[in-house]
Amino acid sequence: MSLISVKNSPITPLLTKSFSRRAVIMLLSVATLLLTGCGEEPAPPAKQAVEEQPSRFSKDKRAYRHTYHPEWPKEVRDEVYGDKETFSTPRVLFRAEIEWIGIETLFSARMDGSDRRRIIPESVFTGKNMVDGHKPVRSPDNRYIAISMYNNELGYTREIWDAKTQQFILMSEGYGYAHFNWTKDSENVIFYASGKHYNYHVPTKKLTERPIIYSNGLYLLPDGKTFLADKKNKYWLHDFNGDVIEKVDLGFNTQFTMKYLKVSPFGDYIYFVSEGLGYPKNYWINLSDPSKRIILPRKAGTFFFSNKKNKVFSPASRDSTELMGNGRPYPDYYFIELDLITKQEKEIPLKESNIWGMGTLRIFGVFNIKDEQ
């Protein structure tokens, strides 16, 4: 390529100033083409304004769930200790995970599944996690939750989550089922660890060993003075110091085992699933008269006690009539409420079902029950 000389042209005086500027522009353009390669477009200049990044929800492959429920908040609600509105009604304590985080933590919700709130932020589980199959238990004042943990440095531990300070409190190391119980003043948590029985006094952070009550599960009854000890196919009642008050034989043979035993928050029933004598069944034993019992065939899942007397819940699910973005139905969750007196069942649809991609809920029970209902 050559440039045409205009030095001796009669029109040179007219073009000299303007041409010099144009020549510079032309030379810059040619240089740019040579640098970027023939036939290629030069890279566009960087934009001054930064484009808004796509929301993490839009990236999520299951975010289409939110399109059916625009009233759901996309940001996860956190439980605030002491909030009057949150703790104005009984609540369910459960374990689940937010879909895009993938770490299980504890949540609470109202009895119909609404107002779901995260209790413990996932970030605090760095280097530790909750032990599967161990039931966390909340203190009567709702401030503390006793939890069995596995710590990468310490191994198995017993810890308390303080909802007010948002911190864990280490009570002890130790393995085995903890079977936590709180005293009515929320100052003492009683538990097993490595074959021993302990009392941890929260205000003083003092751990003391108690006389052991041997059991498959230990439950402090609502009177705050009496322990019910699961003895495989019978139960014993102990006073607060561990001495035996009464031994209750339920008439089952040695092959029988009471599985998943729970005590009503009102202290009127125990519930368990039978094992060892044919197909499993659901049992409710009246503690005021153990000869009075309700026996029903076992269905999928187990029951937990309601906030209302003589009522129990069982989680259930079925395919929704609404389809997801992939054309498939998602599961609709609900509770089956069973009246132990009338044997009548009622379905209670769960609100906020599938919110935040939250599917399976591991329900531990009901808390914040103020009065008998």
Side-chain angles (χ1 to χ4, degrees):
M1 181 182 292
S2 62
L3 298 177
I4 300 174
S5 176
V6 294
K7 183 177 181 180
N8 298 320
S9 171
I11 59 172
T12 297
L14 298 175
L15 297 177
T16 300
K17 293 183 179 180
S18 61
F19 181 79
S20 62
R21 288 193 295 270
R22 292 176 182 174
V24 172
I25 294 172
M26 182 179 293
L27 288 171
L28 289 173
S29 299
V30 171
T32 301
L33 287 171
L34 291 174
L35 288 172
T36 57
C38 295
E40 295 184 10
E41 292 290 334
K47 295 182 179 179
Q48 296 299 314
V50 179
E51 291 185 356
E52 183 180 354
Q53 293 298 311
S55 164
R56 65 172 178 265
F57 295 95
S58 64
K59 289 181 178 180
D60 191 278
K61 64 182 181 180
R62 297 185 181 178
Y64 42 70
R65 285 182 175 146
H66 296 278
T67 63
Y68 294 102
H69 300 278
E71 73 275 13
W72 288 356
K74 288 187 176 181
E75 294 298 329
V76 179
R77 291 183 298 247
D78 288 317
E79 185 185 280
V80 178
Y81 170 71
D83 178 70
K84 291 183 178 180
E85 183 177 355
T86 300
F87 294 97
S88 62
T89 62
R91 297 181 71 85
V92 179
L93 178 68
F94 63 94
R95 179 174 170 175
E97 68 178 45
I98 301 299
E99 190 171 61
W100 59 86
I101 297 178
I103 299 174
E104 284 198 325
T105 186
L106 295 181
F107 295 82
S108 72
R110 291 176 183 161
M111 297 303 299
D112 61 359
S114 64
D115 191 42
R116 299 188 184 193
R117 293 182 179 269
R118 176 173 52 196
I119 302 172
I120 306 178
E122 293 85 353
S123 58
V124 302
F125 290 110
T126 302
K128 62 172 66 177
N129 58 275
M130 294 181 287
V131 178
D132 287 339
H134 288 217
K135 179 183 177 181
V137 180
R138 195 153 195 169
S139 62
D141 66 358
N142 300 319
R143 176 172 175 176
Y144 304 106
I145 304 176
I147 309 174
S148 288
M149 305 285 290
Y150 181 80
N151 187 301
N152 291 347
E153 295 182 358
L154 301 176
Y156 291 102
T157 60
R158 309 298 194 226
E159 304 191 31
I160 294 174
W161 174 254
D162 187 338
K164 184 176 181 179
T165 65
Q166 295 285 288
Q167 293 179 328
F168 275 113
I169 300 170
L170 176 65
M171 294 188 291
S172 78
E173 300 175 28
Y175 56 84
Y177 284 97
H179 297 296
F180 296 111
N181 285 282
W182 286 93
T183 55
K184 297 176 74 172
D185 58 9
S186 299
E187 291 190 355
N188 301 275
V189 58
I190 299 165
F191 60 91
Y192 295 99
S194 302
K196 295 182 178 181
H197 208 202
Y198 293 98
N199 184 103
Y200 183 83
H201 187 241
V202 179
T204 61
K205 296 182 169 57
K206 184 178 181 180
L207 181 70
T208 56
E209 188 174 349
R210 290 173 49 86
I212 192 166
I213 300 174
Y214 293 101
S215 72
N216 295 320
L218 191 67
Y219 305 87
L220 184 60
L221 298 181
D223 64 6
K225 302 176 182 178
T226 309
F227 285 104
L228 184 148
D230 176 359
K231 296 289 188 176
K232 184 177 180 289
N233 55 14
K234 62 191 73 171
Y235 67 85
W236 293 5
L237 297 177
H238 298 253
D239 66 19
F240 194 79
N241 295 319
D243 294 330
V244 177
I245 300 173
E246 184 181 3
K247 298 180 181 180
V248 180
D249 190 336
L250 297 173
F252 302 124
N253 65 31
T254 56
Q255 304 300 315
F256 191 95
T257 300
M258 300 186 296
K259 297 281 289 184
Y260 316 118
L261 190 144
K262 301 179 179 72
V263 178
S264 158
F266 307 112
D268 49 357
Y269 287 97
I270 59 171
Y271 161 76
F272 57 86
V273 176
S274 64
E275 183 180 80
L277 289 177
Y279 194 79
K281 296 179 181 179
N282 293 301
Y283 280 78
W284 289 270
I285 305 292
N286 191 318
L287 292 180
S288 62
D289 183 355
S291 65
K292 295 180 179 179
R293 55 192 69 183
I294 300 164
I295 306 172
L296 294 175
R298 173 105 190 268
K299 298 180 181 178
T302 57
F303 285 86
F304 64 95
F305 286 100
S306 169
N307 60 304
K308 300 177 181 179
K309 294 193 71 171
N310 303 312
K311 300 288 181 66
V312 294
F313 283 145
S314 179
S317 67
R318 57 173 160 250
D319 285 346
S320 171
T321 56
E322 297 181 87
L323 301 180
M324 298 188 291
N326 59 8
R328 297 178 181 176
Y330 60 79
D332 249 347
Y333 296 93
Y334 59 98
F335 286 153
I336 299 173
E337 181 188 72
L338 171 65
D339 188 310
L340 295 177
I341 304 300
T342 66
K343 312 298 189 302
Q344 296 297 310
E345 292 186 352
K346 181 174 68 174
E347 289 188 5
I348 300 177
L350 284 189
K351 296 181 180 179
E352 298 186 1
S353 182
N354 297 289
I355 188 174
W356 309 318
M358 187 187 293
T360 302
L361 311 182
R362 302 188 192 185
I363 298 173
F364 298 113
V366 181
F367 69 96
N368 197 42
I369 302 175
K370 302 301 183 183
D371 301 299
E372 294 189 9
Q373 300 181 40

